[in-house]
């Protein structure tokens, strides 16, 4: 058994967690080892779900009776980069000032992880009748990639929880719905020519611009026809997020690549958008392009998709979260979480965690100490519920 102190405060654990640079392009194995050791020191066993390249891992642990059911507390270990941001202190060293904790990941979402780990001794000493699971993932920030192999093991090597609380920063409000990002890459292939002989070439940038114009028209239709007043903005947003093309000012560009995304409302099938853009490409672009260059092409590839989330507002998990927070109403957010993926895997979810999403991903990211205090009280009430 570890000689670790019987308890560590959320602030102390937050400082330890932030000290690990778990930017998504790095390995997270060091922080996983720390959490493993911490849990082991309190008599809690855990299981790794390792990535194919062996450089990253999710972690799943259970406190209480074995078997299916119970509540999972879900969080991700990775953070977004600090590159290009101007910080007033070391991003990976927590700075406490004016009732706030500053550091990369404090709000998104190591504050929640710290509160959960600090609650471990309390959960462990209780005679839980309902199990409490920890489900910590990797690569959430780059498309919720790491949680998917873990979800594939639910009901097999890992017990499937009856409910999931995803601790993303909602200022401890209960969120029962959010939008889902779907991203595509479009590659336009034309034909190069000297710019003085433009009719001999096919300008890939020109046709990419036509496709982007169609995307603008699609978004206008979404604004008009797909609305949900619970969200802000109340329609699915669609935007081009990157664009690259051309080689020199005197060459007709042979290629142009752009990416776009939609933040889909629950109930919107993103395939409708893709089908419409493909139809436009096939009827309004490719015939003209191939009159000059038979080899011309437009490739549209879906790169990533995170399921829009919409809980049953009468579900047990929503009722439990409202009870634990003492609230009477649920909310929505426009950012994405792993909640929809858990729900698809047969584990109904809700989103509720400390911190404000407005502070996430920013320079001098911070979380209010009062938010962690509220989360710790929430977790204590969860222990009461699981013990009753």
């Amino acid at each position: 058994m570890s000689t670790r102190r019987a308890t560590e405060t959320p602030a102390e654990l937050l400082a330890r967690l932030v000290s690990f640079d778990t930017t998504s392009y790095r390995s997270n194995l060091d922080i996983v080892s720390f959490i493993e050791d911490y849990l082991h020191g309190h008599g809690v066993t855990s299981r790794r779900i390792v990535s194919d390249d062996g450089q990253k891992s999710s972690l799943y642990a259970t406190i209480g009776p074995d078997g299916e059911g119970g509540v999972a507390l879900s969080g991700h270990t990775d953070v977004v980069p600090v590159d290009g941001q101007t910080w007033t202190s070391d991003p990976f060293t927590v700075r406490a000032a004016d009732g706030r904790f500053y550091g990369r990941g404090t709000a998104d979402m190591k504050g929640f992880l710290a509160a959960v780990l600090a609650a471990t001794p309390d959960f462990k000493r209780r005679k839980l009748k309902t199990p409490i699971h920890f489900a910590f993932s990797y690569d959430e920030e780059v498309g919720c990639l790491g949680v998917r192999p873990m979800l594939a093991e639910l009901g097999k090597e890992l017990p499937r929880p009856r409910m999931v609380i995803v601790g993303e920063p909602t200022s401890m409000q209960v969120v029962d719905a959010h939008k889902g990002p779907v991203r595509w890459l479009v590659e336009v292939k034309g034909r190069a020519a000297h710019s003085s002989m433009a009719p001999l070439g096919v300008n890939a940038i020109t046709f990419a611009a036509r496709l982007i114009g169609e995307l603008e028209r699609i978004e206008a239709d979404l604004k008009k026809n797909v609305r949900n007043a619970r969200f802000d903005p109340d329609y699915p947003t669609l935007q081009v997020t990157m664009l690259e093309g051309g080689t020199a000012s005197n060459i007709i560009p042979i290629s142009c690549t752009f990416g776009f995304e939609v933040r889909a409302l629950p109930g919107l099938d993103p395939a409708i958008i893709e089908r419409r853009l493909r139809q436009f490409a096939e009827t309004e672009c490719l015939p003209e392009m191939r009159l000059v260059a038979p080899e011309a092409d437009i490739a549209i590839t879906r790169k990533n998709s995170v399921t829009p989330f919409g809980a049953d507002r009468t579900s047990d998990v929503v009722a439990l979260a409202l009870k634990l927070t003492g609230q009477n109403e649920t909310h929505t957010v426009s950012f994405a979480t792993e909640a929809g993926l858990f729900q698809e895997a047969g584990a109904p979810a809700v989103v509720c965690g400390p911190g404000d999403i407005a502070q996430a991903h920013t320079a001098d990211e911070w979380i209010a100490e009062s938010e962690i205090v509220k989360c710790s009280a929430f977790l204590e009430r969860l222990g009461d519920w699981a013990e009753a």
Side-chain angles (χ1 to χ4, degrees), residues 305-322:
S305 178
V306 177
T307 304
F309 168 59
D312 178 351
R313 299 174 74 180
T314 65
S315 66
D316 289 344
V317 67
V318 171
L320 175 62
L322 289 172

Side-chain angles (χ1 to χ4, degrees), residues 58-381:
S58 294
L59 197 69
Y60 198 93
T62 299
I63 302 174
D66 294 332
E68 299 286 301
V71 177
L73 300 172
S74 165
H76 61 83
T77 59
D78 62 314
V79 298
V80 297
V82 299
D83 307 45
Q85 296 182 340
T86 301
W87 286 66
T88 58
S89 58
D90 179 359
F92 299 104
T93 300
V94 167
R95 175 171 62 90
D98 302 321
R100 299 174 177 178
F101 297 113
Y102 292 85
R104 173 54 86 222
T106 49
D108 187 15
M109 56 183 301
K110 291 179 178 179
F112 177 72
L113 297 183
V116 170
L117 293 177
T120 298
D122 179 58
F123 290 156
K124 186 64 179 175
R125 71 169 178 78
R126 294 175 182 267
K127 297 179 180 179
L128 298 181
K129 297 177 182 176
T130 300
I132 296 175
H133 312 281
F134 299 167
F136 299 159
S137 66
Y138 62 90
D139 281 359
E140 188 272 348
E141 297 289 4
V142 290
C144 296
L145 304 181
V147 71
R148 300 172 198 255
M150 180 165 58
L151 294 176
E153 294 299 320
L154 295 183
K156 300 175 185 176
E157 296 297 321
L158 303 176
R160 187 191 310 277
R162 186 164 68 91
M163 307 181 249
V164 179
I165 298 171
V166 179
E168 292 277 4
T170 67
S171 300
M172 292 307 297
Q173 294 183 323
V174 179
V175 167
D176 65 353
H178 65 62
K179 296 180 181 180
V182 185
R183 300 184 176 101
W184 291 266
L185 181 70
V186 181
E187 299 169 286
V188 182
K189 177 185 176 184
R191 176 182 284 180
H194 194 285
S195 60
S196 67
M197 300 297 293
L200 300 180
V202 173
N203 191 317
I205 293 177
T206 296
F207 285 95
R210 292 189 190 180
L211 293 163
I212 291 170
E214 177 66 4
L215 289 174
E216 291 181 342
R217 291 185 286 272
I218 292 172
E219 185 183 41
D221 289 344
L222 291 173
K223 286 183 180 180
K224 181 179 179 181
N225 299 313
V226 183
R227 312 291 287 233
N228 186 325
R230 297 190 69 213
F231 287 86
D232 182 18
D234 65 354
Y235 58 88
T237 56
L238 192 159
Q239 54 271 318
V240 174
T241 53
M242 55 83 66
L243 176 69
E244 182 178 3
T247 53
S249 60
N250 60 351
I251 301 175
I252 300 299
I254 189 174
S255 65
C256 183
T257 300
F258 67 90
F260 73 96
E261 74 154 27
V262 64
R263 293 277 171 162
L265 287 167
L268 174 65
D269 181 2
I272 295 172
I273 297 168
E274 183 174 330
R275 285 197 298 270
R276 178 166 163 179
L277 188 65
R278 286 187 184 278
Q279 182 178 16
F280 182 84
E282 291 168 3
T283 60
E284 303 298 326
C285 297
L286 285 171
E288 183 177 345
M289 295 168 71
R290 287 172 175 168
L291 282 175
V292 176
E295 73 277 14
D297 196 21
I298 297 172
I300 302 171
T301 306
R302 186 183 296 199
K303 302 300 290 186
N304 187 262
S305 178
V306 177
T307 304
F309 168 59
D312 178 351
R313 299 174 74 180
T314 65
S315 66
D316 289 344
V317 67
V318 171
L320 175 62
L322 289 172
K323 176 182 178 180
L324 297 178
T325 58
Q327 297 168 17
N328 297 315
E329 62 180 1
T330 58
H331 302 268
T332 67
V333 293
S334 291
F335 64 86
T337 78
E338 297 169 339
L341 296 171
F342 274 102
Q343 195 143 286
E344 282 187 336
V350 75
V351 186
C352 184
D356 189 336
I357 194 62
Q359 310 307 327
H361 300 190
T362 62
D364 288 341
E365 178 181 349
W366 57 269
I367 188 170
E369 183 177 9
S370 59
E371 285 291 301
I372 296 180
V373 170
K374 285 195 293 184
C375 184
S376 296
F378 174 94
L379 295 171
E380 184 176 359
R381 291 190 289 271

